[in-house]
Amino acid sequence: MYFNEEFETLPRQALEALQLKRLQAVVERVCANVPFYMESFGKAGVKSADIRSLEDLQRLPFTTKQDMRDSYPYGLFAAPLEEIVRIHASSGTTGKPTVVGYTHKDIDTWSELMARSFAAAGAHRGDIIHNAYGYGLFTGGLGAHYGAERLGASVIPISGGNTKRQIMIMQDFGSTVLTCTPSYSLFMAEEARAEGIDFKKLKLRVGIFGAEPWSEAMRGEIEEKLNLAAIDIYGLSEIMGPGVAIECIEAKKGLHIWEDHFIPEIIDPKTGRRLPQGELGELVITTITKQGIPLIRYRTRDITSISYEPCVCGRTHARISRMSGRSDDMLIIRGVNVFPSQIESILVAIEGVEPHYLLIIDRRDNLDTLEVHVEVDEQLFSDEIKVLQLLAKRIEKEIKDVLGVTCTAKLVEPKTIQRSEGKAQRVIDNRKL
């Protein structure tokens, strides 16, 4: 089902013509209104008039998160504050928060793209959408909320927290669609099980999960425990919020990125060189319709690949693969590049292991060490020591065989690894790098 069939199925030639027209307009806009872009384009020796084709986009310099922090709070805004009707910001856990502003038109665009995303995931007007993304400065809650309303569905703005109450509401209100982080959905399943509640008896049929990387193995775990179709959604505050890209329920094979509003590129994170279709690299996005804070060639740091192959759902927009991590979250352990999601895929495939883990990295005698804390199910944990030792050895061997990194596996009791209602903390790096 489409929300806006005309634009979701635009032929490639028409889509690229629209992209070029909108790219030229946004470059001209930032050159006229944003001192940062006036300066960076000047240093690169490029003017707005130089953008005559989509290929010319590569002539423009990148924008980074640090550029946004350096311009804190409103330095990158291309619209005056009196035209900004909403302000969101990132959590700022690694420095100053990144601040984003939306005009009325930006909110309208965001609402439509979230409605498109819900429709692609299989949601429709008759659904009751249980929105457990956090409301506030985080874009997730309000982004999903406005999209659900634009779709015409009923939305329950429950936000995060109070998990037992969430489960009661899902039961009593007949929720059919769940939106939250994938790790929180599994926490919900745990709590429901502890309360003797069977998710198979709820009316949920679709879950739309994002805001943190998750693996295909974790999808299987969620679908089994929550009895629904688990759909991956992608977004980031700097670009818009949720709804930049989403899987379609027909294929569940890559996330359609709405190319009439965003131009995606995949680059080598070290050289900045654009990579061809199918190669894994860093996602770079240029916003071509945003008014409040348009961004040119924004380095997301998310690692993915892109495909322009036709999709069975009929949507013509390119698909990006499931995020395999971030270029700045990549762990280098004794020279081996490792993403937490790769370890998650290995753990979830091992019987008796719960999908809750913590990676602790340290440095002893000038050598990196990796300790993998992972929960095991209650029945196994109460088993004899020898069985647990064998399981720990198997985890260590699997990680070594697949990733080439040596680790120590530490099995812990169920529910002892701290849970999160937002993004799960998967890594503690104690090295002084």
Side-chain angles (χ1 to χ4, degrees), residues 20 23-28 31 37-38 40-61:
L20 178 58
L23 173 63
Q24 290 169 328
V26 78
V27 169
E28 190 172 333
C31 281
Y37 283 116
M38 296 177 199
S40 68
F41 288 4
K43 286 179 180 177
V46 63
K47 305 184 296 293
S48 58
D50 295 332
I51 307 302
R52 299 187 183 91
S53 71
L54 289 177
E55 286 301 307
D56 290 332
L57 178 60
Q58 295 178 79
R59 300 179 62 183
L60 299 175

Side-chain angles (χ1 to χ4, degrees), residues 62-66 234 236 238 257 263-276 278-286 296-306 320-321 323-330 339:
F62 296 114
T63 308
T64 67
K65 195 158 195 166
Q66 190 58 50
Y234 174 75
L236 60 167
E238 301 93 312
I257 183 164
I263 299 179
E265 302 173 84
I266 305 296
I267 65 164
D268 181 319
K270 291 182 179 177
T271 66
R273 180 179 61 87
R274 188 185 285 185
L275 298 176
E279 284 199 28
L280 205 62
E282 180 184 336
L283 176 64
V284 170
I285 297 177
T286 297
I296 307 299
R297 303 196 81 196
Y298 182 74
R299 293 190 62 162
T300 69
R301 299 294 180 182
D302 290 316
I303 301 297
T304 184
S305 62
I306 196 164
I320 53 176
S321 62
M323 300 300 157
S324 60
R326 290 175 54 82
S327 61
D328 53 357
D329 283 352
M330 183 175 69
F339 288 105

Side-chain angles (χ1 to χ4, degrees), residues 30 33-40 62-79 81 87-89 95-101 238 292-296 298:
V30 298
N33 295 285
V34 185
F36 166 79
Y37 283 116
M38 296 177 199
E39 183 179 346
S40 68
F62 296 114
T63 308
T64 67
K65 195 158 195 166
Q66 190 58 50
D67 293 328
M68 297 189 74
R69 291 193 182 115
D70 291 343
S71 304
Y72 176 89
Y74 306 133
L76 286 182
F77 282 21
L81 276 178
I87 296 171
H88 281 285
K96 282 186 177 180
T98 51
V99 179
V100 288
E238 301 93 312
I293 181 169
L295 294 178
I296 307 299
Y298 182 74

Side-chain angles (χ1 to χ4, degrees), residues 366-385:
N366 295 318
L367 290 175
D368 294 337
T369 63
L370 171 63
E371 192 168 85
V372 179
H373 292 210
V374 61
E375 292 182 7
V376 295
D377 65 36
E378 292 179 16
Q379 184 177 348
L380 193 60
F381 196 80
S382 61
D383 217 324
E384 57 184 274
I385 298 283

Side-chain angles (χ1 to χ4, degrees), residues 60 150 175 189 286 300 302 309 338 365 421:
L60 299 175
R150 176 65 68 88
S175 307
T286 297
T300 69
D302 290 316
E309 295 297 317
V338 179
D365 299 323
E421 290 158 1

Side-chain angles (χ1 to χ4, degrees), residues 130 156 158 161-175 184 188 191-192 195 197 199 202:
H130 185 98
I156 303 171
I158 197 158
N162 204 337
T163 306
K164 290 181 182 178
R165 182 167 177 262
Q166 298 241 13
I167 295 165
M168 180 194 77
I169 292 289
M170 283 191 282
Q171 281 185 298
D172 296 348
F173 289 19
S175 307
Y184 188 47
M188 284 181 169
E191 288 294 298
E195 295 290 311
I197 295 166
F199 261 95
L202 271 59

Side-chain angles (χ1 to χ4, degrees), residues 62 77 94 140 239 285 307 331-332 379 391 422:
F62 296 114
F77 282 21
T94 55
I239 296 301
I285 297 177
S307 171
L331 306 171
I332 302 178
Q379 184 177 348
L391 179 59

